[in-house]
Amino acid sequence: MKKIPSSEITPEHLYHQRRSFMTRLALTPAALAAVACAAPTQQTTAATPTIPPQALESRTDELGDPLTAYAAVTGYNNFYEFTTDKERVAASSASFVTSPWNVVVDGLVAKPTTFAIEDLRAIQSEERIYRLRCVEGWSMVIPWYGFPLHRLLAKVEPTSAAKYVRFETLYDPEQMPGQKEPWYTWPYAEGLRLDEAMHDLTLMVTGVYGSPLPNQNGAPLRLAVPWKYGFKSIKSIVRISLVDEQPTSLWMAAAPDEYGFYANVNPRVNHPRWSQADERRIGELGRRQTLMFNGYADEVASLYTGLDLRKFY
Ligand SMILES: Nc1nc2c(c(=O)[nH]1)N[C@H]1C(S)=C(S)[C@@H](COP(=O)(O)O)O[C@H]1N2
Ligand SMILES: [Mo]
């Protein structure tokens, strides 16, 4: 298999912007002007952490890999609701309002409930150092803080008809100017099979690096599914629904041939436009081999026994 140098890879958003160029041309000049003016520049107002994050950077994950620098974790982000420029997400999301915040958990459950974010923060939580592997070919090691999703699902009691979990990000184009861009189906949505959602590694994240989650990382509540590509880790969640049909994620809707429902990190199944065999760990020179299930195979491979991972990518 021929490897494509990373410099030749078109970032996913540019590619889709090109593909959707006709849609964009259909906009009126006034609408185009509004889109162009929609991304305000804000000063980042980082909350003062109790522990300086740099004091925590010397730690490692269970493979002995060092944490990615705090500056990169909070300064190089994907959050298309704000901007597709990774280095500007922090500034563009600085004034995003995340309080008050409610999360609806509904669908095929015995006890549908609307939780205030404070109720979710009260669920027994812990720090988890996870690798995040973006589908674009870079990765980070991030110390999240949060609770396994199964602790929340236990409170609402999924019925026997529930087969999947669907997650949805806030829809608020005034605050999230990216949602005015027509080439994606907003709000951002993601999904997991119920057994994936119940797995203890599946974390609902409320903090990072010893502090509450900053806006750019998906405040006040985001998902972390460490054996899947980063795009599954949906940010700023307002709804979690138990459903009986496989949810369609924003990425599946945008390009079904490129982004499947499973999105398990797999060095043997390439993206149609680039190799997934290796990755650039942010802060390191050179590239690393990508590990099957992002290094979590011992924990999760059994979820996929008998599943053709080329077909169900
Ligand atoms: N709502 C929403 N969630 C999202 C995204 C997004 O654009 N919008 N980007 C995803 C992608 S592609 C990645 S790699 C991770 C990045 O998380 P981080 O910025 O906290 O590292 O967030 C994921 N969650
Ligand atoms: Mo990503």
Side-chain angles (χ1 to χ4, degrees), residues 267-313:
R268 295 193 284 270
V269 177
N270 289 332
H271 185 281
R273 291 181 286 123
W274 60 80
S275 164
Q276 293 292 26
D278 57 18
E279 67 201 53
R280 181 171 61 94
R281 180 69 49 86
I282 300 297
E284 289 182 358
L285 297 170
R287 296 179 74 84
R288 293 177 167 244
Q289 296 302 301
T290 288
L291 303 174
M292 188 63 202
F293 295 114
N294 202 24
Y296 301 90
D298 288 349
E299 290 91 338
V300 301
S302 63
L303 293 172
Y304 308 105
T305 309
L307 194 74
D308 180 351
L309 296 175
R310 290 192 169 276
K311 197 165 165 220
F312 298 95
Y313 54 89

Side-chain angles (χ1 to χ4, degrees), residues 76 78 86 132-134 136-140 279-280 282:
Y76 188 82
N78 267 338
K86 294 182 220 312
L132 180 146
R133 167 58 157 85
C134 179
E136 295 168 298
W138 48 269
S139 63
M140 299 194 190
E279 67 201 53
R280 181 171 61 94
I282 300 297

Side-chain angles (χ1 to χ4, degrees), residues 56 59 70 73-74 117 120-121 125-130 142-147 203-215 217-224:
L56 305 172
R59 294 172 305 156
Y70 177 79
V73 170
T74 57
I117 189 66
L120 298 177
R121 289 207 182 94
S125 295
E126 64 216 39
E127 182 173 82
R128 299 267 187 94
I129 298 177
Y130 282 167
I142 303 177
W144 300 120
Y145 183 81
F147 55 88
L203 200 68
M204 299 305 305
V205 172
T206 58
V208 68
Y209 257 109
S211 293
L213 209 52
N215 293 344
N217 294 97
L221 184 74
R222 63 89 63 76
L223 185 66

